[in-house]
Every structure is written in C-alpha cells, then in structure tokens.
Amino acid sequence: MWQKAFSKFVGVNPEGTAVNSDELYNLKSLDGIRLHLDHVHIKNCLLRPYFEQRDAYPLVDARELLPSFEVDLYEYKKLPGFSMVVLERPLNYFHEIFQFDILHNPVSKDDSKESSSCPLFNSIKKINIETFESRLPKRSHKDFSNEFGSSDISAIENYGELLPYLLEIERAHVMAQDDTGKFYLSGIFGSLPSDLDTELKRFGIKIRKFKPGSNTSYELNRLFVYTFLMELHGFPIVSERRTSSALFARRLFRMGERFMVRVLGQSDRTITSLFSHPKAKHYPRVEKIALVQVSPENKETLTELKKGGFFVDAKKRVIILKVRYRQHKFNLENVREDRALSVYKQEVIHPLTGECSTKFNIIKDASSMTLLLNDIVRGEYAGNIVYKRNELIQDTETHERRLKFLFAWLSKHQRRIVGYSEEFYSGVVKVLDSYLLTPDNYDKFNDHSDLYQEVWSKYSYIQQARKLKILEDLKDRVFRGKKITYLEMLQEMTGIMNDLKFEIVNYFDKLVATTLSIGDRVLNDPYLRRTYITCSEDSLTEYGLKIKKYYGRLVVLLDEFKSIRKSRTKYEDGTVVSGMF
C-alpha cells in the first residue's frame, strides 16, 4: 500500500488539472516544499517501514503527541531516522553558520535544452556522486552507483528515490534554492551546532529561574529550564540529533531566516518540523507527523474515519496524524508555569489523496481520557507509560504497576486536568477517589506506601492547582468565563483562599508562592486602592464598605499564608525541630 501513498493527490489547486510534480507542488516556496517533503517522508519513512514490518512496527500512542513529551527509552535501530535543513534562499557556502558537504545544481538559470550533454553539466553530476559516495557506507556503493551513476542527485525530482541512501548517511542533509528559486538537494553530512550551555543559561536568566553566578538557583532549577526550553521546540530532553536540531532552529529563527528544520527520531517514530512563519513572532512553529493508533473507545470517530477512507490499516485503526502546537511564553505567576506547548490543531491525512481533515479529535478527547483513567485504576489498561523517566510500565495488573502508571499519567496530564472543565475534573476526582480512598485497598497500599504517597501528593497538587487556576482568573475579575465586579472577585477569592489554607497540609512551595503573588497583585490594584481602600469609611457607600471589609480579610489570609511559608521554610532548613505540619 505504501507505494500508492498520495497517488491521488491533485495538488493544492482544487481544480486539480496538474499532471507532474512541478505543478502538484510549488517547489519555489517554503510552504510548497514542506508539503512535498511531508508526502515523501510519510511515504518512505513512516508507511514503508510500517508495511514492511507491520507486526513489529511500534505505533505511536496518541497520548505521546500531547505535551509534555515523554522520554523515549528504546531506539528502534531498524527504523529510519534523519535530520535536515531547508533554507528559502540560495546558499552562501563560506558564510553559512554550519558545516556540510556541498552539492551543486548542474542546471543554471541560462540552461538550454542541450545542457545535459554539456561537459560541465556532466562533470558537476559526477562530483556530486563522488561527494555522496564518500559519506555513504561501503556496502551501499554498488547499489547506489547502479541506480544513480548518471543521474542528477541534486534534483528535487530524484529526492524520493534518493532518500533510502540519505537515511544511511549520518548527520543532516540540506536543501536550498537555486538561481531560479527552485529547491534542490544542496548538501549532505551537515553538523547542526548547538551551544546548549549558553542557550540554557541565557534562557534561565531571562525567565528568572537562574540568578547570575548563583550555583544554588542553577542546581535547583536547571532541569526545569532545560525541560521547558526543549519542549518549547517540540522535544523532551533526548538525543543529540533532536537537541541540536531544536537549538539550531532557534538560532535560525533569531537570525530572521526563512527555514525549516526537520528531524525523525528512531525512538519517537515521529517527523518533527520547526519552521519560520510570518505570524510566528517569538519561536519557530512546531509540527509533528506520526502513524497513530486511534483509541477503540472513539467509536463515532472510527466510523467517520473509515467512511472517509482515512485509515492506513483499518483493522489496527492506524491513521496518519499531523499535530500543530502553540507555544507559550514562560509566566512565573501561572500555576501551569511548566506549560511550554499546547495542541493548536489536529489534521488526519488521507493516505491516497493527501486531504487533511481537521474535524477529528484524536488526542484531546476528554471523555476517552476519563475512560482510560478508569481502566488504569481497575487494572484493565495494557498500554505503555514511562515512570520517572527511566522505567517503562507496560500494564496495570498489580497495584505496584497501577500506582506507578497512575503517577506517570497524572504527571503527564496534570496541566490538562488543572485547565479542563469542571465536568471533566469531577469525573477525574470520582475515578481517583474510588481507587485511592477505598478501605478495601488500604492493606494493599500499605505494601507500597511510598508509591501511594507519591500518587496522593500528585493528586493533592492538582487539587490545589485547580483552585489557584480559579484565583488566576479572579485577579482579572473573571469567574467561570464571566466578568464580575470587584466585590464578587474579593468574595470568591477569600472563600477559595480560606479553603486552600486548610488543604496545604500537603505543602507545595511553588503553589503557595503563586498564591501570594496573585494576592499581592490584587491588593496593589491601583483602581481598587484609589477608589475604595484609601478612602475614609464615611465617604463610602454600602457597596464600598463591603469591598473594604473583604479586602481586609484578604490581607489577613495572605499574612497567614506568609506565616505558613515562613514556618515551612524553617522546618525544611532544619532551623526548628518541629513545625506546624
């Protein structure tokens, strides 16, 4: 089936009268070459391996495409992997900021039809072949020579056939535009520089997680900053290939280049693209493509996918899924401060026509998430998840595996649980309470008390963070999606903080610090202070007096939170023998 992939693609023009690749794709624009490469890479790097080893191919779980991305524990050596750079301009070899072996386009803008018989034309083709062979493993020389011995390997039309050999060459290959503006294969064996140390420290200082010269703040926050920076560019902390690709894309973006950096990992089985876009102001856009297995619970979606012919393998419910992400600037006051990416758009790609449908919700279906959570606590889920970055949990048959799976699942989805609707959250609470608070399970949990406490701590964090998410909205006078008055804001805020005060027996300093920051911002609201707080009570209306009363309650609550934080800090520093917890 993979040989027929995109065979019915008629181009971006809906009239579709095109008959050759030059007309099917705009090979003189970054968007056009990206679409062309999408089809070539899906066909040769996803579909072909799948059909050649269908029973052994490790399909991507839809959950793996949801941020935050999980660390890969296995590298599938038999699967293809590559990295590449596309520059929407001609090369300037000496002035490029990375190293690669250059290939030349033998066709100039003044070609005549006799160019193929020109000695210079043939000489350039021969040099390209020799350059390519010098980086190709010896075992492939004969096959390569037989197939491309007299071909122009730089021509974009030959890229699909050349790709299996490109996959055997370490490091990145390069595409750029010729004198006519058309893209061609312009380099191989590229090394993408990544000054990770400088980037990491500069970014950490910028988001105020590092202090210049402070070993303590660096040690405490390095992993957070490293994780956030990588996720911002579409990856967990993983292989050098993907790290260097992400940081190189970041560098090109800052230089104002029109570019695409693309990488396929042998562990994640996902084609990730980072590219410039006129509407992308702060970071390169991130896009991922993978072969995904649709959950059997999504019955309506499965029916529609089958009806539209979107399945690559209907029996195994396999589709080609493209996900585009939205990047978020770091916000110290946001309870979800670790959120660097969120899903912006999902497209299911038709394997024959290339049609991209956005009507399917494959990876953000809240109902299927609740069903999956229910299967986990019942011990009926048989999927995979990575526990604490170093252990693969493959089923939930025992309570030990169930608790590890639950901890990893809650860690993975905590940002969504914090931000999703009240209806979804109540469903999550019902499922978790039915497992964690059932007396029949207490004896079993005693055998795994450390694991149980880990899960309970994560659950408590989510519960408190949900309340803080409401406080975040309240500081802007928004409650449940509606604009409210200053009095309503203070009433709701003091009620939530009063409840929260009794819940922080499970203490999380980050959440308490965020609570204090939100409270201080409200207390220092210029309009609130000028109109109500600094005025004498005699000059205030009944409404104003109520505002002043609840403002005072908020001051008292914040003082209590500060006292709790101070006591907790002393307790953890060992400066007191016992604290209030």
Side-chain angles (χ1 to χ4, degrees):
M1 189 272 184
W2 69 269
Q3 296 96 330
K4 299 179 181 178
F6 308 113
S7 58
K8 297 182 180 179
F9 179 68
V10 295
V12 292
N13 182 353
E15 295 180 2
T17 55
V19 291
N20 61 59
S21 60
D22 280 346
E23 294 172 334
L24 286 174
Y25 306 95
N26 180 0
L27 298 180
K28 293 186 177 182
S29 76
L30 187 62
D31 289 339
I33 192 67
R34 193 170 82 248
L35 178 62
H36 175 64
L37 293 175
D38 280 353
H39 290 178
V40 173
H41 290 150
I42 291 169
K43 178 179 179 178
N44 291 279
C45 301
L46 297 183
L47 294 177
R48 181 174 183 175
Y50 175 76
F51 283 101
E52 288 181 345
Q53 46 183 304
R54 190 182 308 195
D55 294 332
Y57 186 90
L59 290 164
V60 173
D61 190 309
R63 186 195 68 246
E64 295 177 53
L65 297 178
L66 277 170
S68 57
F69 302 113
E70 298 169 17
V71 176
D72 311 305
L73 296 186
Y74 296 114
E75 187 169 16
Y76 302 93
K77 298 288 187 181
K78 293 183 179 180
L79 296 183
F82 70 87
S83 55
M84 74 177 299
V85 179
V86 180
L87 298 171
E88 195 183 46
R89 59 170 173 78
L91 288 178
N92 192 350
Y93 197 27
F94 182 80
H95 292 93
E96 298 301 338
I97 60 170
F98 65 112
Q99 288 298 308
F100 59 95
D101 297 342
I102 194 167
L103 301 178
H104 293 281
N105 181 2
V107 182
S108 72
K109 60 183 177 183
D110 295 321
D111 297 328
S112 66
K113 291 183 179 179
E114 291 76 35
S115 62
S116 60
S117 61
C118 173
L120 181 61
F121 183 94
N122 290 323
S123 175
I124 292 174
K125 285 198 302 181
K126 184 180 178 182
I127 292 171
N128 285 345
I129 293 287
E130 290 173 353
T131 301
F132 199 99
E133 278 191 336
S134 71
R135 298 303 186 184
L136 195 64
K138 189 73 176 177
R139 65 179 182 273
S140 299
H141 282 200
K142 185 177 179 180
D143 291 341
F144 176 74
S145 181
N146 290 338
E147 192 169 350
F148 292 100
S150 60
S151 301
D152 174 14
I153 61 171
S154 73
I156 191 67
E157 290 80 8
N158 292 328
Y159 178 76
E161 287 71 31
L162 189 67
L163 188 55
Y165 296 101
L166 281 168
L167 296 174
E168 293 190 58
I169 297 179
E170 289 293 327
R171 306 187 185 178
H173 54 281
V174 185
M175 282 191 179
Q177 290 178 317
D178 62 17
D179 294 336
T180 69
K182 186 177 179 181
F183 284 93
Y184 70 103
L185 182 65
S186 51
I188 58 170
F189 208 66
S191 297
L192 308 184
S194 61
D195 189 359
L196 178 60
D197 179 68
T198 301
E199 285 288 345
L200 197 63
K201 288 172 181 173
R202 182 189 292 134
F203 185 71
I205 290 171
K206 179 182 178 182
I207 66 174
R208 294 187 290 163
K209 283 291 185 178
F210 297 159
K211 296 177 182 177
S214 171
N215 291 329
T216 303
S217 67
Y218 182 69
E219 182 178 354
L220 288 175
N221 297 307
R222 175 185 169 277
L223 186 59
F224 175 91
V225 174
Y226 193 179
T227 302
F228 190 97
L229 179 64
M230 288 304 297
E231 185 178 314
L232 198 60
H233 297 83
F235 299 112
I237 300 173
V238 282
S239 65
E240 182 62 27
R241 174 188 280 165
R242 282 178 276 174
T243 299
S244 60
S245 296
L247 295 182
F248 188 60
R250 181 178 175 84
R251 184 174 177 182
L252 290 175
F253 186 83
R254 283 206 299 259
M255 292 172 63
E257 291 274 14
R258 287 273 298 164
F259 74 94
M260 179 182 75
V261 172
R262 174 166 287 185
V263 58
L264 169 64
Q266 289 173 293
S267 48
D268 69 346
R269 300 93 67 209
T270 301
I271 298 168
T272 303
S273 303
L274 297 101
F275 54 94
S276 58
H277 190 275
K279 292 184 179 179
K281 303 297 183 185
H282 304 290
Y283 312 104
R285 283 194 168 176
V286 180
E287 200 172 80
K288 289 180 177 285
I289 303 174
L291 295 185
V292 171
Q293 190 171 41
V294 182
S295 170
E297 281 81 18
N298 295 356
K299 298 188 185 304
E300 291 184 11
T301 299
L302 290 171
T303 301
E304 289 297 314
L305 287 169
K306 187 174 182 179
K307 184 179 177 181
F310 284 95
F311 280 122
V312 169
D313 184 341
K315 186 176 180 181
K316 291 190 175 182
R317 310 181 307 280
V318 181
I319 59 168
I320 306 165
L321 183 64
K322 178 192 286 188
V323 183
R324 184 174 296 167
Y325 300 89
R326 177 185 284 113
Q327 289 112 325
H328 301 280
K329 280 189 171 183
F330 177 79
N331 183 355
L332 197 63
E333 288 187 355
N334 193 329
V335 67
R336 297 180 292 173
E337 68 168 14
D338 60 337
R339 184 180 69 153
L341 284 184
S342 61
V343 173
Y344 167 66
K345 191 177 185 180
Q346 303 177 52
E347 294 180 349
V348 179
I349 302 175
H350 196 288
L352 295 177
T353 67
E355 175 195 349
C356 294
S357 176
T358 58
K359 68 179 182 179
F360 301 109
N361 185 359
I362 305 298
I363 65 174
K364 289 186 71 176
D365 185 23
S367 60
S368 65
M369 283 177 64
T370 309
L371 289 171
L372 188 148
L373 179 61
N374 202 47
D375 288 344
I376 293 170
V377 301
R378 288 183 177 183
E380 297 172 358
Y381 188 73
N384 299 332
I385 204 164
V386 178
Y387 170 71
K388 289 193 171 180
R389 301 165 59 86
N390 59 16
E391 183 180 352
L392 186 67
I393 309 299
Q394 295 182 294
D395 61 62
T396 54
E397 291 180 0
T398 67
H399 282 284
E400 180 184 10
R401 291 179 199 162
R402 214 173 294 177
L403 289 168
K404 286 181 177 180
F405 206 106
L406 197 53
F407 177 83
W409 191 89
L410 289 173
S411 300
K412 166 83 174 175
H413 295 292
Q414 74 176 31
R415 298 190 314 226
R416 274 168 286 283
I417 298 172
V418 169
Y420 276 11
S421 68
E422 196 64 38
E423 181 183 0
F424 168 75
Y425 179 66
S426 63
V428 169
V429 169
K430 184 178 180 181
V431 174
L432 289 175
D433 286 353
S434 70
Y435 179 61
L436 298 174
L437 298 178
T438 298
D440 292 345
N441 290 335
Y442 287 168
D443 289 340
K444 299 160 188 170
F445 291 151
N446 284 335
D447 296 333
H448 310 290
S449 58
D450 289 344
L451 277 175
Y452 180 75
Q453 288 303 320
E454 278 184 352
V455 174
W456 191 257
S457 178
K458 182 64 66 176
Y459 184 24
S460 297
Y461 182 94
I462 290 170
Q463 288 176 315
Q464 292 181 32
R466 281 281 298 189
K467 287 186 167 60
L468 256 69
K469 181 66 176 67
I470 300 173
L471 291 181
E472 284 181 359
D473 295 337
L474 283 172
K475 81 174 187 292
D476 298 319
R477 292 192 296 121
V478 175
F479 184 59
R480 293 178 180 173
K482 295 181 180 179
K483 201 73 175 175
I484 59 174
T485 65
Y486 276 99
L487 178 59
E488 290 171 321
M489 173 191 73
L490 291 169
Q491 287 173 332
E492 294 292 344
M493 189 168 278
T494 52
I496 291 169
M497 282 193 175
N498 194 59
D499 292 341
L500 193 59
K501 180 179 65 175
F502 295 104
E503 291 180 13
I504 57 176
V505 62
N506 293 300
Y507 180 86
F508 305 100
D509 188 69
K510 174 183 168 299
L511 296 183
V512 174
T514 304
T515 302
L516 292 172
S517 177
I518 292 171
D520 285 339
R521 187 174 288 269
V522 171
L523 292 183
N524 291 308
D525 183 291
Y527 176 82
L528 191 63
R529 291 182 59 81
R530 183 177 64 251
T531 309
Y532 301 106
I533 309 308
T534 58
C535 298
S536 65
E537 293 189 1
D538 294 339
S539 63
L540 293 174
T541 63
E542 184 179 350
Y543 177 82
L545 289 171
K546 285 183 179 180
I547 285 181
K548 199 163 188 176
K549 182 179 79 171
Y550 279 100
Y551 185 94
R553 287 185 185 178
L554 183 58
V555 171
V556 172
L557 282 167
L558 287 175
D559 286 342
E560 290 179 354
F561 272 92
K562 290 174 184 176
S563 176
I564 290 170
R565 193 182 190 204
K566 185 177 180 182
S567 300
R568 185 69 184 195
T569 303
K570 287 182 178 179
Y571 177 72
E572 291 180 345
D573 288 346
T575 54
V576 293
V577 177
S578 61
M580 62 186 297
F581 296 95

